[in-house]
Amino acid sequence: MVNSGFLNLNRLAALMQQRACWLLLSVVSVLFSLSVSASAHADQVSTIFNQLAKSELIRADFEQQKKLASLNKTFVSNGTLTFAKSNGVIWQIKRPVQADLIVTQNKLIQKTQRTYSQIKIDQSPYSSVATLFLQLMSGNDKALAKNFNVLSANYSPTGWNIALTPKSALFKKLFQRIDAQGQQYVNKIVIQEQANNSTTILFRNQTTQPNQLTAAEDALFQLAK
C-alpha cells in the first residue's frame, strides 16, 4: 500500500498493524495451532496446514481491498505474487503505483523505480504480523501458534476455512480477527481491524509453473540476503 495504503516501508509498522500478506503477502501470504493439542479443531487445522505445506513455489494474481470506515471508502491495490517456501514472498504491486515488496524471515524490502528501503525482521516489534502470510503459505503452524488462537476450522475436499483471533495484548490492539479460506491454495484472507476497518486479499490464477524461480524473481530475493 503505497499511496492508497499497500505496504510502504516508511510507514511499515503502522500499516502492518492495520492489515497483517504477502505479502500477503499476497498474500495472504492470508493461523496457529495453538494449544492445538487441546483444541477441538486440532485435526482440521492439521489437515489444512498439511495441504498448504505441499507447495514449494506458487504464483498468483492478487487484489487487496482496504476499507476505511471513517472515510466510507475502499482503496484497491493489485498485482502479482510469488511465494517460494525456501525464500519468502514477493508482492509486485501494479496499481495504483508500481512497487516490489520482498518479505523473508529476515528482511522486509520495498523497491520502486526511485526508492529502496529495508527493515530487518528482528528489529521490528511487528515481525510476526509482517511474516504472517509467509507462515500461512508455508504451513508453519508452530510459528503462528505463538500469536493466534483458532476460533474455528473446517476442512473438506472441496475447500477449507479457518478463523483466528490474536493472543497477545499488542495484536489485540491491531486487529480483532483473521479469516482465511481456500482449497489447494489460499484463496482469500479477511482481516477485521479496529475501528471497523478491514482488509480483504483475494488470490486468483494460482499456478506452480514454472517450478523454478525466474532470473528476475531470484534477483529480487537476492536483495534480502
Side-chain angles (χ1 to χ4, degrees), residues 43-45 47-48 51 153-162 181-185:
D43 291 343
Q44 301 288 319
V45 171
T47 303
I48 291 170
Q51 174 68 45
N154 296 285
Y155 176 88
S156 75
T158 58
W160 55 263
N161 61 76
I162 189 164
Q181 60 182 257
Q183 191 172 3
Q184 183 176 0
Y185 312 110

Side-chain angles (χ1 to χ4, degrees), residues 33-43 45 150:
S33 168
L34 19 12
S35 352
V36 104
S37 58
S39 169
H41 307 294
D43 291 343
V45 171
V150 172

